[in-house]
PDB file of all heavy atoms in Angstrom:
ATOM      1  N   GLY A  17     -15.392  14.138   6.482  1.00 94.00           N
ATOM      2  CA  GLY A  17     -15.856  15.275   5.700  1.00 94.00           C
ATOM      3  C   GLY A  17     -16.222  14.821   4.296  1.00 94.00           C
ATOM      4  O   GLY A  17     -16.657  13.687   4.083  1.00 94.00           O
ATOM      5  N   ASN A  18     -16.022  15.708   3.336  1.00 94.00           N
ATOM      6  CA  ASN A  18     -16.283  15.385   1.926  1.00 94.00           C
ATOM      7  C   ASN A  18     -15.014  15.084   1.158  1.00 94.00           C
ATOM      8  O   ASN A  18     -15.066  14.843  -0.036  1.00 94.00           O
ATOM      9  CB  ASN A  18     -17.004  16.557   1.246  1.00 94.00           C
ATOM     10  CG  ASN A  18     -18.410  16.717   1.748  1.00 94.00           C
ATOM     11  OD1 ASN A  18     -19.095  15.738   2.020  1.00 94.00           O
ATOM     12  ND2 ASN A  18     -18.847  17.956   1.891  1.00 94.00           N
ATOM     13  N   TYR A  19     -13.865  15.119   1.843  1.00 96.00           N
ATOM     14  CA  TYR A  19     -12.594  15.072   1.135  1.00 96.00           C
ATOM     15  C   TYR A  19     -11.774  13.801   1.347  1.00 96.00           C
ATOM     16  O   TYR A  19     -10.788  13.577   0.655  1.00 96.00           O
ATOM     17  CB  TYR A  19     -11.734  16.275   1.537  1.00 96.00           C
ATOM     18  CG  TYR A  19     -11.293  16.241   2.984  1.00 96.00           C
ATOM     19  CD1 TYR A  19     -10.079  15.682   3.349  1.00 96.00           C
ATOM     20  CD2 TYR A  19     -12.124  16.744   3.994  1.00 96.00           C
ATOM     21  CE1 TYR A  19      -9.684  15.633   4.665  1.00 96.00           C
ATOM     22  CE2 TYR A  19     -11.732  16.707   5.311  1.00 96.00           C
ATOM     23  CZ  TYR A  19     -10.514  16.149   5.645  1.00 96.00           C
ATOM     24  OH  TYR A  19     -10.131  16.097   6.961  1.00 96.00           O
ATOM     25  N   ALA A  20     -12.149  12.945   2.306  1.00 97.00           N
ATOM     26  CA  ALA A  20     -11.262  11.827   2.629  1.00 97.00           C
ATOM     27  C   ALA A  20     -12.021  10.685   3.289  1.00 97.00           C
ATOM     28  O   ALA A  20     -13.204  10.798   3.606  1.00 97.00           O
ATOM     29  CB  ALA A  20     -10.144  12.303   3.562  1.00 97.00           C
ATOM     30  N   GLY A  21     -11.295   9.601   3.485  1.00 96.00           N
ATOM     31  CA  GLY A  21     -11.839   8.458   4.196  1.00 96.00           C
ATOM     32  C   GLY A  21     -10.785   7.850   5.100  1.00 96.00           C
ATOM     33  O   GLY A  21      -9.583   7.953   4.833  1.00 96.00           O
ATOM     34  N   ARG A  22     -11.244   7.265   6.185  1.00 96.00           N
ATOM     35  CA  ARG A  22     -10.367   6.527   7.098  1.00 96.00           C
ATOM     36  C   ARG A  22     -10.629   5.050   6.844  1.00 96.00           C
ATOM     37  O   ARG A  22     -11.764   4.582   6.903  1.00 96.00           O
ATOM     38  CB  ARG A  22     -10.693   6.853   8.551  1.00 96.00           C
ATOM     39  CG  ARG A  22      -9.862   6.062   9.555  1.00 96.00           C
ATOM     40  CD  ARG A  22     -10.307   6.233  11.003  1.00 96.00           C
ATOM     41  NE  ARG A  22     -10.806   7.552  11.328  1.00 96.00           N
ATOM     42  CZ  ARG A  22     -10.060   8.609  11.649  1.00 96.00           C
ATOM     43  NH1 ARG A  22      -8.748   8.490  11.704  1.00 96.00           N
ATOM     44  NH2 ARG A  22     -10.608   9.775  11.927  1.00 96.00           N
ATOM     45  N   LEU A  23      -9.578   4.314   6.530  1.00 95.00           N
ATOM     46  CA  LEU A  23      -9.706   2.879   6.307  1.00 95.00           C
ATOM     47  C   LEU A  23      -9.527   2.156   7.638  1.00 95.00           C
ATOM     48  O   LEU A  23      -8.566   2.415   8.359  1.00 95.00           O
ATOM     49  CB  LEU A  23      -8.645   2.394   5.314  1.00 95.00           C
ATOM     50  CG  LEU A  23      -8.655   3.042   3.938  1.00 95.00           C
ATOM     51  CD1 LEU A  23      -7.567   2.436   3.070  1.00 95.00           C
ATOM     52  CD2 LEU A  23     -10.008   2.920   3.273  1.00 95.00           C
ATOM     53  N   VAL A  24     -10.455   1.262   7.938  1.00 96.00           N
ATOM     54  CA  VAL A  24     -10.381   0.446   9.149  1.00 96.00           C
ATOM     55  C   VAL A  24     -10.167  -0.999   8.692  1.00 96.00           C
ATOM     56  O   VAL A  24     -10.978  -1.550   7.939  1.00 96.00           O
ATOM     57  CB  VAL A  24     -11.673   0.560   9.991  1.00 96.00           C
ATOM     58  CG1 VAL A  24     -11.590  -0.324  11.221  1.00 96.00           C
ATOM     59  CG2 VAL A  24     -11.930   2.018  10.378  1.00 96.00           C
ATOM     60  N   PHE A  25      -9.059  -1.579   9.137  1.00 94.00           N
ATOM     61  CA  PHE A  25      -8.690  -2.925   8.712  1.00 94.00           C
ATOM     62  C   PHE A  25      -9.093  -3.951   9.768  1.00 94.00           C
ATOM     63  O   PHE A  25      -9.220  -3.621  10.951  1.00 94.00           O
ATOM     64  CB  PHE A  25      -7.180  -2.991   8.464  1.00 94.00           C
ATOM     65  CG  PHE A  25      -6.737  -2.091   7.344  1.00 94.00           C
ATOM     66  CD1 PHE A  25      -6.362  -0.780   7.591  1.00 94.00           C
ATOM     67  CD2 PHE A  25      -6.721  -2.543   6.041  1.00 94.00           C
ATOM     68  CE1 PHE A  25      -5.970   0.069   6.568  1.00 94.00           C
ATOM     69  CE2 PHE A  25      -6.325  -1.709   5.002  1.00 94.00           C
ATOM     70  CZ  PHE A  25      -5.952  -0.396   5.270  1.00 94.00           C
ATOM     71  N   ASP A  26      -9.256  -5.178   9.343  1.00 93.00           N
ATOM     72  CA  ASP A  26      -9.704  -6.219  10.272  1.00 93.00           C
ATOM     73  C   ASP A  26      -8.637  -6.656  11.277  1.00 93.00           C
ATOM     74  O   ASP A  26      -8.932  -7.416  12.194  1.00 93.00           O
ATOM     75  CB  ASP A  26     -10.284  -7.426   9.534  1.00 93.00           C
ATOM     76  CG  ASP A  26      -9.293  -8.155   8.651  1.00 93.00           C
ATOM     77  OD1 ASP A  26      -8.111  -7.732   8.556  1.00 93.00           O
ATOM     78  OD2 ASP A  26      -9.700  -9.149   8.037  1.00 93.00           O
ATOM     79  N   ASP A  27      -7.416  -6.134  11.150  1.00 90.00           N
ATOM     80  CA  ASP A  27      -6.382  -6.411  12.160  1.00 90.00           C
ATOM     81  C   ASP A  27      -6.340  -5.317  13.221  1.00 90.00           C
ATOM     82  O   ASP A  27      -5.458  -5.285  14.068  1.00 90.00           O
ATOM     83  CB  ASP A  27      -5.010  -6.587  11.508  1.00 90.00           C
ATOM     84  CG  ASP A  27      -4.436  -5.309  10.918  1.00 90.00           C
ATOM     85  OD1 ASP A  27      -5.170  -4.299  10.813  1.00 90.00           O
ATOM     86  OD2 ASP A  27      -3.250  -5.318  10.544  1.00 90.00           O
ATOM     87  N   GLY A  28      -7.321  -4.376  13.167  1.00 88.00           N
ATOM     88  CA  GLY A  28      -7.405  -3.323  14.158  1.00 88.00           C
ATOM     89  C   GLY A  28      -6.713  -2.031  13.770  1.00 88.00           C
ATOM     90  O   GLY A  28      -6.868  -1.013  14.426  1.00 88.00           O
ATOM     91  N   HIS A  29      -5.964  -2.031  12.695  1.00 90.00           N
ATOM     92  CA  HIS A  29      -5.246  -0.843  12.252  1.00 90.00           C
ATOM     93  C   HIS A  29      -6.240   0.131  11.633  1.00 90.00           C
ATOM     94  O   HIS A  29      -6.989  -0.231  10.739  1.00 90.00           O
ATOM     95  CB  HIS A  29      -4.175  -1.249  11.237  1.00 90.00           C
ATOM     96  CG  HIS A  29      -3.396  -0.112  10.698  1.00 90.00           C
ATOM     97  ND1 HIS A  29      -3.011  -0.058   9.394  1.00 90.00           N
ATOM     98  CD2 HIS A  29      -2.937   1.012  11.275  1.00 90.00           C
ATOM     99  CE1 HIS A  29      -2.329   1.050   9.193  1.00 90.00           C
ATOM    100  NE2 HIS A  29      -2.277   1.715  10.316  1.00 90.00           N
ATOM    101  N   ALA A  30      -6.267   1.358  12.142  1.00 91.00           N
ATOM    102  CA  ALA A  30      -7.218   2.350  11.627  1.00 91.00           C
ATOM    103  C   ALA A  30      -6.625   3.760  11.642  1.00 91.00           C
ATOM    104  O   ALA A  30      -7.359   4.735  11.673  1.00 91.00           O
ATOM    105  CB  ALA A  30      -8.501   2.316  12.447  1.00 91.00           C
ATOM    106  N   THR A  31      -5.305   3.866  11.635  1.00 88.00           N
ATOM    107  CA  THR A  31      -4.694   5.189  11.631  1.00 88.00           C
ATOM    108  C   THR A  31      -4.526   5.655  10.198  1.00 88.00           C
ATOM    109  O   THR A  31      -4.317   4.861   9.289  1.00 88.00           O
ATOM    110  CB  THR A  31      -3.326   5.175  12.343  1.00 88.00           C
ATOM    111  OG1 THR A  31      -2.474   4.234  11.690  1.00 88.00           O
ATOM    112  CG2 THR A  31      -3.470   4.807  13.797  1.00 88.00           C
ATOM    113  N   GLY A  32      -4.626   6.916  10.003  1.00 87.00           N
ATOM    114  CA  GLY A  32      -4.434   7.492   8.680  1.00 87.00           C
ATOM    115  C   GLY A  32      -5.739   7.881   8.027  1.00 87.00           C
ATOM    116  O   GLY A  32      -6.732   7.170   8.114  1.00 87.00           O
ATOM    117  N   ILE A  33      -5.718   9.035   7.409  1.00 95.00           N
ATOM    118  CA  ILE A  33      -6.837   9.538   6.632  1.00 95.00           C
ATOM    119  C   ILE A  33      -6.320   9.727   5.220  1.00 95.00           C
ATOM    120  O   ILE A  33      -5.259  10.322   5.005  1.00 95.00           O
ATOM    121  CB  ILE A  33      -7.350  10.866   7.226  1.00 95.00           C
ATOM    122  CG1 ILE A  33      -7.896  10.622   8.634  1.00 95.00           C
ATOM    123  CG2 ILE A  33      -8.414  11.483   6.332  1.00 95.00           C
ATOM    124  CD1 ILE A  33      -8.268  11.888   9.378  1.00 95.00           C
ATOM    125  N   PHE A  34      -7.060   9.228   4.261  1.00 96.00           N
ATOM    126  CA  PHE A  34      -6.625   9.251   2.869  1.00 96.00           C
ATOM    127  C   PHE A  34      -7.629  10.026   2.031  1.00 96.00           C
ATOM    128  O   PHE A  34      -8.832   9.765   2.100  1.00 96.00           O
ATOM    129  CB  PHE A  34      -6.488   7.820   2.333  1.00 96.00           C
ATOM    130  CG  PHE A  34      -5.578   6.970   3.157  1.00 96.00           C
ATOM    131  CD1 PHE A  34      -6.079   6.195   4.187  1.00 96.00           C
ATOM    132  CD2 PHE A  34      -4.215   6.964   2.926  1.00 96.00           C
ATOM    133  CE1 PHE A  34      -5.244   5.411   4.968  1.00 96.00           C
ATOM    134  CE2 PHE A  34      -3.363   6.190   3.711  1.00 96.00           C
ATOM    135  CZ  PHE A  34      -3.881   5.411   4.723  1.00 96.00           C
ATOM    136  N   SER A  35      -7.143  10.962   1.226  1.00 97.00           N
ATOM    137  CA  SER A  35      -8.050  11.731   0.373  1.00 97.00           C
ATOM    138  C   SER A  35      -8.673  10.794  -0.659  1.00 97.00           C
ATOM    139  O   SER A  35      -8.093   9.772  -1.033  1.00 97.00           O
ATOM    140  CB  SER A  35      -7.302  12.864  -0.327  1.00 97.00           C
ATOM    141  OG  SER A  35      -6.466  12.355  -1.355  1.00 97.00           O
ATOM    142  N   TRP A  36      -9.865  11.184  -1.111  1.00 96.00           N
ATOM    143  CA  TRP A  36     -10.518  10.369  -2.145  1.00 96.00           C
ATOM    144  C   TRP A  36      -9.660  10.337  -3.399  1.00 96.00           C
ATOM    145  O   TRP A  36      -9.578   9.311  -4.084  1.00 96.00           O
ATOM    146  CB  TRP A  36     -11.917  10.903  -2.444  1.00 96.00           C
ATOM    147  CG  TRP A  36     -12.839  10.845  -1.262  1.00 96.00           C
ATOM    148  CD1 TRP A  36     -13.466  11.909  -0.678  1.00 96.00           C
ATOM    149  CD2 TRP A  36     -13.230   9.684  -0.503  1.00 96.00           C
ATOM    150  NE1 TRP A  36     -14.218  11.479   0.394  1.00 96.00           N
ATOM    151  CE2 TRP A  36     -14.090  10.114   0.524  1.00 96.00           C
ATOM    152  CE3 TRP A  36     -12.925   8.330  -0.582  1.00 96.00           C
ATOM    153  CZ2 TRP A  36     -14.661   9.260   1.451  1.00 96.00           C
ATOM    154  CZ3 TRP A  36     -13.491   7.473   0.352  1.00 96.00           C
ATOM    155  CH2 TRP A  36     -14.340   7.925   1.339  1.00 96.00           C
ATOM    156  N   ALA A  37      -8.965  11.445  -3.707  1.00 96.00           N
ATOM    157  CA  ALA A  37      -8.089  11.486  -4.882  1.00 96.00           C
ATOM    158  C   ALA A  37      -6.942  10.478  -4.740  1.00 96.00           C
ATOM    159  O   ALA A  37      -6.586   9.791  -5.704  1.00 96.00           O
ATOM    160  CB  ALA A  37      -7.536  12.899  -5.081  1.00 96.00           C
ATOM    161  N   TYR A  38      -6.361  10.381  -3.540  1.00 96.00           N
ATOM    162  CA  TYR A  38      -5.273   9.430  -3.319  1.00 96.00           C
ATOM    163  C   TYR A  38      -5.780   7.988  -3.435  1.00 96.00           C
ATOM    164  O   TYR A  38      -5.139   7.147  -4.065  1.00 96.00           O
ATOM    165  CB  TYR A  38      -4.635   9.656  -1.950  1.00 96.00           C
ATOM    166  CG  TYR A  38      -3.526   8.685  -1.651  1.00 96.00           C
ATOM    167  CD1 TYR A  38      -2.320   8.739  -2.332  1.00 96.00           C
ATOM    168  CD2 TYR A  38      -3.691   7.688  -0.684  1.00 96.00           C
ATOM    169  CE1 TYR A  38      -1.299   7.833  -2.066  1.00 96.00           C
ATOM    170  CE2 TYR A  38      -2.674   6.790  -0.412  1.00 96.00           C
ATOM    171  CZ  TYR A  38      -1.486   6.864  -1.101  1.00 96.00           C
ATOM    172  OH  TYR A  38      -0.494   5.966  -0.850  1.00 96.00           O
ATOM    173  N   LEU A  39      -6.933   7.709  -2.847  1.00 95.00           N
ATOM    174  CA  LEU A  39      -7.498   6.359  -2.943  1.00 95.00           C
ATOM    175  C   LEU A  39      -7.810   6.009  -4.396  1.00 95.00           C
ATOM    176  O   LEU A  39      -7.581   4.871  -4.835  1.00 95.00           O
ATOM    177  CB  LEU A  39      -8.744   6.235  -2.066  1.00 95.00           C
ATOM    178  CG  LEU A  39      -8.479   6.313  -0.566  1.00 95.00           C
ATOM    179  CD1 LEU A  39      -9.796   6.382   0.199  1.00 95.00           C
ATOM    180  CD2 LEU A  39      -7.638   5.156  -0.081  1.00 95.00           C
ATOM    181  N   HIS A  40      -8.282   6.979  -5.156  1.00 96.00           N
ATOM    182  CA  HIS A  40      -8.539   6.755  -6.581  1.00 96.00           C
ATOM    183  C   HIS A  40      -7.234   6.436  -7.316  1.00 96.00           C
ATOM    184  O   HIS A  40      -7.181   5.527  -8.143  1.00 96.00           O
ATOM    185  CB  HIS A  40      -9.226   7.979  -7.186  1.00 96.00           C
ATOM    186  CG  HIS A  40      -9.588   7.795  -8.616  1.00 96.00           C
ATOM    187  ND1 HIS A  40      -8.824   8.283  -9.642  1.00 96.00           N
ATOM    188  CD2 HIS A  40     -10.633   7.153  -9.189  1.00 96.00           C
ATOM    189  CE1 HIS A  40      -9.371   7.958 -10.786  1.00 96.00           C
ATOM    190  NE2 HIS A  40     -10.476   7.267 -10.540  1.00 96.00           N
ATOM    191  N   ALA A  41      -6.169   7.190  -6.994  1.00 97.00           N
ATOM    192  CA  ALA A  41      -4.861   6.942  -7.618  1.00 97.00           C
ATOM    193  C   ALA A  41      -4.347   5.548  -7.279  1.00 97.00           C
ATOM    194  O   ALA A  41      -3.752   4.882  -8.128  1.00 97.00           O
ATOM    195  CB  ALA A  41      -3.853   8.002  -7.177  1.00 97.00           C
ATOM    196  N   LEU A  42      -4.564   5.085  -6.039  1.00 95.00           N
ATOM    197  CA  LEU A  42      -4.143   3.723  -5.673  1.00 95.00           C
ATOM    198  C   LEU A  42      -4.811   2.684  -6.561  1.00 95.00           C
ATOM    199  O   LEU A  42      -4.171   1.735  -7.015  1.00 95.00           O
ATOM    200  CB  LEU A  42      -4.475   3.425  -4.201  1.00 95.00           C
ATOM    201  CG  LEU A  42      -3.655   4.140  -3.146  1.00 95.00           C
ATOM    202  CD1 LEU A  42      -4.151   3.750  -1.755  1.00 95.00           C
ATOM    203  CD2 LEU A  42      -2.179   3.836  -3.286  1.00 95.00           C
ATOM    204  N   GLY A  43      -6.101   2.868  -6.806  1.00 95.00           N
ATOM    205  CA  GLY A  43      -6.811   1.936  -7.683  1.00 95.00           C
ATOM    206  C   GLY A  43      -6.353   2.047  -9.124  1.00 95.00           C
ATOM    207  O   GLY A  43      -6.137   1.037  -9.802  1.00 95.00           O
ATOM    208  N   ARG A  44      -6.175   3.259  -9.601  1.00 98.00           N
ATOM    209  CA  ARG A  44      -5.778   3.493 -10.988  1.00 98.00           C
ATOM    210  C   ARG A  44      -4.366   2.960 -11.257  1.00 98.00           C
ATOM    211  O   ARG A  44      -4.085   2.441 -12.334  1.00 98.00           O
ATOM    212  CB  ARG A  44      -5.853   4.993 -11.276  1.00 98.00           C
ATOM    213  CG  ARG A  44      -5.660   5.376 -12.718  1.00 98.00           C
ATOM    214  CD  ARG A  44      -5.777   6.882 -12.953  1.00 98.00           C
ATOM    215  NE  ARG A  44      -4.762   7.597 -12.194  1.00 98.00           N
ATOM    216  CZ  ARG A  44      -5.017   8.477 -11.220  1.00 98.00           C
ATOM    217  NH1 ARG A  44      -6.254   8.747 -10.864  1.00 98.00           N
ATOM    218  NH2 ARG A  44      -4.030   9.083 -10.588  1.00 98.00           N
ATOM    219  N   GLU A  45      -3.479   3.055 -10.266  1.00 98.00           N
ATOM    220  CA  GLU A  45      -2.078   2.652 -10.439  1.00 98.00           C
ATOM    221  C   GLU A  45      -1.759   1.356  -9.712  1.00 98.00           C
ATOM    222  O   GLU A  45      -0.605   1.102  -9.355  1.00 98.00           O
ATOM    223  CB  GLU A  45      -1.176   3.776  -9.922  1.00 98.00           C
ATOM    224  CG  GLU A  45      -1.393   5.098 -10.627  1.00 98.00           C
ATOM    225  CD  GLU A  45      -0.713   6.260  -9.931  1.00 98.00           C
ATOM    226  OE1 GLU A  45      -0.011   6.044  -8.921  1.00 98.00           O
ATOM    227  OE2 GLU A  45      -0.892   7.396 -10.395  1.00 98.00           O
ATOM    228  N   ARG A  46      -2.772   0.527  -9.511  1.00 96.00           N
ATOM    229  CA  ARG A  46      -2.626  -0.677  -8.697  1.00 96.00           C
ATOM    230  C   ARG A  46      -1.461  -1.560  -9.126  1.00 96.00           C
ATOM    231  O   ARG A  46      -0.643  -1.953  -8.309  1.00 96.00           O
ATOM    232  CB  ARG A  46      -3.908  -1.495  -8.702  1.00 96.00           C
ATOM    233  CG  ARG A  46      -3.786  -2.734  -7.831  1.00 96.00           C
ATOM    234  CD  ARG A  46      -4.949  -3.686  -8.020  1.00 96.00           C
ATOM    235  NE  ARG A  46      -4.880  -4.819  -7.128  1.00 96.00           N
ATOM    236  CZ  ARG A  46      -4.093  -5.877  -7.305  1.00 96.00           C
ATOM    237  NH1 ARG A  46      -3.281  -5.935  -8.340  1.00 96.00           N
ATOM    238  NH2 ARG A  46      -4.082  -6.868  -6.437  1.00 96.00           N
ATOM    239  N   GLU A  47      -1.385  -1.901 -10.389  1.00 97.00           N
ATOM    240  CA  GLU A  47      -0.351  -2.835 -10.858  1.00 97.00           C
ATOM    241  C   GLU A  47       1.055  -2.304 -10.589  1.00 97.00           C
ATOM    242  O   GLU A  47       1.907  -3.025 -10.085  1.00 97.00           O
ATOM    243  CB  GLU A  47      -0.546  -3.143 -12.340  1.00 97.00           C
ATOM    244  CG  GLU A  47      -1.821  -3.902 -12.645  1.00 97.00           C
ATOM    245  CD  GLU A  47      -1.934  -5.221 -11.896  1.00 97.00           C
ATOM    246  OE1 GLU A  47      -0.920  -5.925 -11.750  1.00 97.00           O
ATOM    247  OE2 GLU A  47      -3.053  -5.540 -11.454  1.00 97.00           O
ATOM    248  N   LYS A  48       1.292  -1.044 -10.912  1.00 97.00           N
ATOM    249  CA  LYS A  48       2.616  -0.440 -10.710  1.00 97.00           C
ATOM    250  C   LYS A  48       2.961  -0.383  -9.222  1.00 97.00           C
ATOM    251  O   LYS A  48       4.068  -0.746  -8.816  1.00 97.00           O
ATOM    252  CB  LYS A  48       2.640   0.959 -11.316  1.00 97.00           C
ATOM    253  CG  LYS A  48       3.956   1.685 -11.138  1.00 97.00           C
ATOM    254  CD  LYS A  48       3.950   3.036 -11.815  1.00 97.00           C
ATOM    255  CE  LYS A  48       3.187   4.012 -10.956  1.00 97.00           C
ATOM    256  NZ  LYS A  48       3.309   5.405 -11.415  1.00 97.00           N
ATOM    257  N   ARG A  49       2.006   0.055  -8.410  1.00 96.00           N
ATOM    258  CA  ARG A  49       2.254   0.185  -6.973  1.00 96.00           C
ATOM    259  C   ARG A  49       2.415  -1.181  -6.302  1.00 96.00           C
ATOM    260  O   ARG A  49       3.233  -1.340  -5.402  1.00 96.00           O
ATOM    261  CB  ARG A  49       1.139   0.986  -6.312  1.00 96.00           C
ATOM    262  CG  ARG A  49       1.175   2.447  -6.691  1.00 96.00           C
ATOM    263  CD  ARG A  49      -0.018   3.188  -6.126  1.00 96.00           C
ATOM    264  NE  ARG A  49      -0.014   4.587  -6.434  1.00 96.00           N
ATOM    265  CZ  ARG A  49       0.392   5.542  -5.610  1.00 96.00           C
ATOM    266  NH1 ARG A  49       0.833   5.238  -4.408  1.00 96.00           N
ATOM    267  NH2 ARG A  49       0.350   6.801  -5.969  1.00 96.00           N
ATOM    268  N   TRP A  50       1.636  -2.170  -6.740  1.00 94.00           N
ATOM    269  CA  TRP A  50       1.724  -3.510  -6.158  1.00 94.00           C
ATOM    270  C   TRP A  50       3.096  -4.114  -6.440  1.00 94.00           C
ATOM    271  O   TRP A  50       3.724  -4.700  -5.565  1.00 94.00           O
ATOM    272  CB  TRP A  50       0.614  -4.410  -6.693  1.00 94.00           C
ATOM    273  CG  TRP A  50       0.560  -5.719  -5.988  1.00 94.00           C
ATOM    274  CD1 TRP A  50       0.903  -6.938  -6.486  1.00 94.00           C
ATOM    275  CD2 TRP A  50       0.138  -5.953  -4.641  1.00 94.00           C
ATOM    276  NE1 TRP A  50       0.731  -7.909  -5.528  1.00 94.00           N
ATOM    277  CE2 TRP A  50       0.267  -7.330  -4.387  1.00 94.00           C
ATOM    278  CE3 TRP A  50      -0.319  -5.129  -3.623  1.00 94.00           C
ATOM    279  CZ2 TRP A  50      -0.060  -7.894  -3.161  1.00 94.00           C
ATOM    280  CZ3 TRP A  50      -0.636  -5.696  -2.403  1.00 94.00           C
ATOM    281  CH2 TRP A  50      -0.510  -7.067  -2.192  1.00 94.00           C
ATOM    282  N   SER A  51       3.559  -3.951  -7.666  1.00 96.00           N
ATOM    283  CA  SER A  51       4.874  -4.465  -8.042  1.00 96.00           C
ATOM    284  C   SER A  51       5.971  -3.796  -7.210  1.00 96.00           C
ATOM    285  O   SER A  51       6.888  -4.468  -6.724  1.00 96.00           O
ATOM    286  CB  SER A  51       5.109  -4.220  -9.531  1.00 96.00           C
ATOM    287  OG  SER A  51       6.368  -4.695  -9.919  1.00 96.00           O
ATOM    288  N   ALA A  52       5.868  -2.480  -7.021  1.00 96.00           N
ATOM    289  CA  ALA A  52       6.866  -1.758  -6.218  1.00 96.00           C
ATOM    290  C   ALA A  52       6.824  -2.227  -4.765  1.00 96.00           C
ATOM    291  O   ALA A  52       7.876  -2.365  -4.122  1.00 96.00           O
ATOM    292  CB  ALA A  52       6.615  -0.253  -6.301  1.00 96.00           C
ATOM    293  N   TYR A  53       5.630  -2.481  -4.247  1.00 93.00           N
ATOM    294  CA  TYR A  53       5.477  -2.984  -2.867  1.00 93.00           C
ATOM    295  C   TYR A  53       6.162  -4.342  -2.711  1.00 93.00           C
ATOM    296  O   TYR A  53       6.920  -4.560  -1.765  1.00 93.00           O
ATOM    297  CB  TYR A  53       3.995  -3.083  -2.522  1.00 93.00           C
ATOM    298  CG  TYR A  53       3.682  -3.924  -1.313  1.00 93.00           C
ATOM    299  CD1 TYR A  53       4.004  -3.488  -0.029  1.00 93.00           C
ATOM    300  CD2 TYR A  53       3.060  -5.157  -1.442  1.00 93.00           C
ATOM    301  CE1 TYR A  53       3.713  -4.264   1.086  1.00 93.00           C
ATOM    302  CE2 TYR A  53       2.758  -5.930  -0.338  1.00 93.00           C
ATOM    303  CZ  TYR A  53       3.092  -5.475   0.922  1.00 93.00           C
ATOM    304  OH  TYR A  53       2.808  -6.252   2.016  1.00 93.00           O
ATOM    305  N   LEU A  54       5.906  -5.252  -3.638  1.00 94.00           N
ATOM    306  CA  LEU A  54       6.520  -6.585  -3.566  1.00 94.00           C
ATOM    307  C   LEU A  54       8.039  -6.499  -3.685  1.00 94.00           C
ATOM    308  O   LEU A  54       8.760  -7.207  -2.986  1.00 94.00           O
ATOM    309  CB  LEU A  54       5.935  -7.496  -4.645  1.00 94.00           C
ATOM    310  CG  LEU A  54       4.463  -7.847  -4.485  1.00 94.00           C
ATOM    311  CD1 LEU A  54       3.993  -8.685  -5.678  1.00 94.00           C
ATOM    312  CD2 LEU A  54       4.176  -8.552  -3.173  1.00 94.00           C
ATOM    313  N   ASP A  55       8.528  -5.623  -4.556  1.00 96.00           N
ATOM    314  CA  ASP A  55       9.980  -5.420  -4.699  1.00 96.00           C
ATOM    315  C   ASP A  55      10.576  -4.885  -3.401  1.00 96.00           C
ATOM    316  O   ASP A  55      11.661  -5.307  -2.987  1.00 96.00           O
ATOM    317  CB  ASP A  55      10.286  -4.463  -5.851  1.00 96.00           C
ATOM    318  CG  ASP A  55      10.018  -5.066  -7.221  1.00 96.00           C
ATOM    319  OD1 ASP A  55       9.854  -6.311  -7.314  1.00 96.00           O
ATOM    320  OD2 ASP A  55       9.954  -4.289  -8.192  1.00 96.00           O
ATOM    321  N   ALA A  56       9.884  -3.949  -2.749  1.00 95.00           N
ATOM    322  CA  ALA A  56      10.379  -3.373  -1.491  1.00 95.00           C
ATOM    323  C   ALA A  56      10.423  -4.426  -0.389  1.00 95.00           C
ATOM    324  O   ALA A  56      11.381  -4.483   0.393  1.00 95.00           O
ATOM    325  CB  ALA A  56       9.511  -2.188  -1.068  1.00 95.00           C
TER     326      ALA A  56
END
């Protein structure tokens, strides 16, 4: 639609629909989220 995108990865994983706002937030908060991911 006009509200989201489905990411298709090269390992075959393609589940999940992400709003454009959420994808924008991932980019905007990349450093903080990446650090939290590595810590987890």
